[in-house]
Amino acid sequence: QVQLQESGPGLVKPSGTLSLTCAVSGDSISSNNWWSWVRQPPGKGLEWIGEAYHGGSANYSPSLKSRVTISVDKSKNQFSLKLTSVTAADTAVYYCARIYCSDISCFKFDYWGQGALVTVSS
Amino acid sequence: QTVVTQEPSLTVSPGGTVTLTCASSTGAVTSGHYPNWFQQKPGQAPRALIHNTNNKHSWTPARFSGSLLGGKAALTLSGVQPEDEAEYYCLLYYGGAYVFGTGTKVTVL
């Protein structure tokens, strides 16, 4: 059974950097899958942040691209999110998710973490 | 900026059928957008229901089905159960980036 678990500070100061980690169990971070971050502001909808592959490739939402980095740590079987220059608008529940890739195609979001609330406030 | 639009809310009777749609501001939704559908209940993480337009996950109840309908992605719930009351989101792929739909609140009444 694949499981993902987010962790990181629940409070970040404005203009600071938001950093979260997603620990993966039941699958190797070096498998042929992509690893993604999604967020949800309180009372609002879901927003895709980006994705990364263990080989070093990454893709980001155009609206966040200038501030976000997603990286994979093969030694710890986890992946991370960094979001710089945060404001109150970045307050949200942050989810990590796996994008499963078969021999034929990817694009299959399947397993999700339970989410981590990050509040941006002084 | 690409916008993916869903019905804000739909109401269905227990045992009834309801279809949710997912429209793209760039034009018709095709299989090349690899539509995914998710269910989210209050206080919970999203749960994957459908991937690649019409493929169920191993845990997806048989009453959920995905399709393309009139230039949109669609999610049909047949024989609706009270536990299907939730928010539903679609997700479309745009060549290197994904965009979530605005979400549909389904009420079972």
Side-chain angles (χ1 to χ4, degrees), chain A residues 10-76:
Chain A
L11 182 64
V12 180
K13 288 183 168 29
S15 77
T17 297
L18 181 158
S19 297
L20 291 172
T21 297
C22 181
V24 178
S25 59
D27 189 13
S28 169
I29 203 78
S30 299
S31 64
N32 194 37
N33 300 317
W34 286 70
W35 306 94
S36 185
W37 287 96
V38 173
R39 71 180 182 178
Q40 185 171 38
K44 297 188 177 181
L46 300 170
E47 179 182 17
W48 182 76
I49 298 171
E51 61 180 357
Y53 188 71
H54 67 83
S57 299
N59 297 301
Y60 304 117
S61 168
S63 64
L64 296 170
K65 189 172 185 176
S66 63
R67 299 194 291 131
V68 67
T69 302
I70 299 175
S71 58
V72 171
D73 186 337
K74 289 184 265 190
S75 66
K76 295 182 179 179

Side-chain angles (χ1 to χ4, degrees), chain A residues 51-121:
Chain A
E51 61 180 357
Y53 188 71
H54 67 83
S57 299
N59 297 301
Y60 304 117
S61 168
S63 64
L64 296 170
K65 189 172 185 176
S66 63
R67 299 194 291 131
V68 67
T69 302
I70 299 175
S71 58
V72 171
D73 186 337
K74 289 184 265 190
S75 66
K76 295 182 179 179
N77 212 50
Q78 63 187 30
F79 62 107
S80 299
L81 168 71
K82 288 192 187 303
L83 184 66
T84 62
S85 304
V86 296
T87 69
D90 295 308
T91 293
V93 175
Y94 285 77
Y95 297 100
C96 56
R98 186 182 79 165
I99 307 173
Y100 177 78
C101 295
S102 68
D103 292 338
I104 303 172
S105 73
C106 291
F107 319 110
K108 177 182 177 181
F109 283 69
D110 51 11
Y111 294 98
W112 292 63
Q114 65 185 27
L117 174 62
V118 179
T119 301
V120 178
S121 175

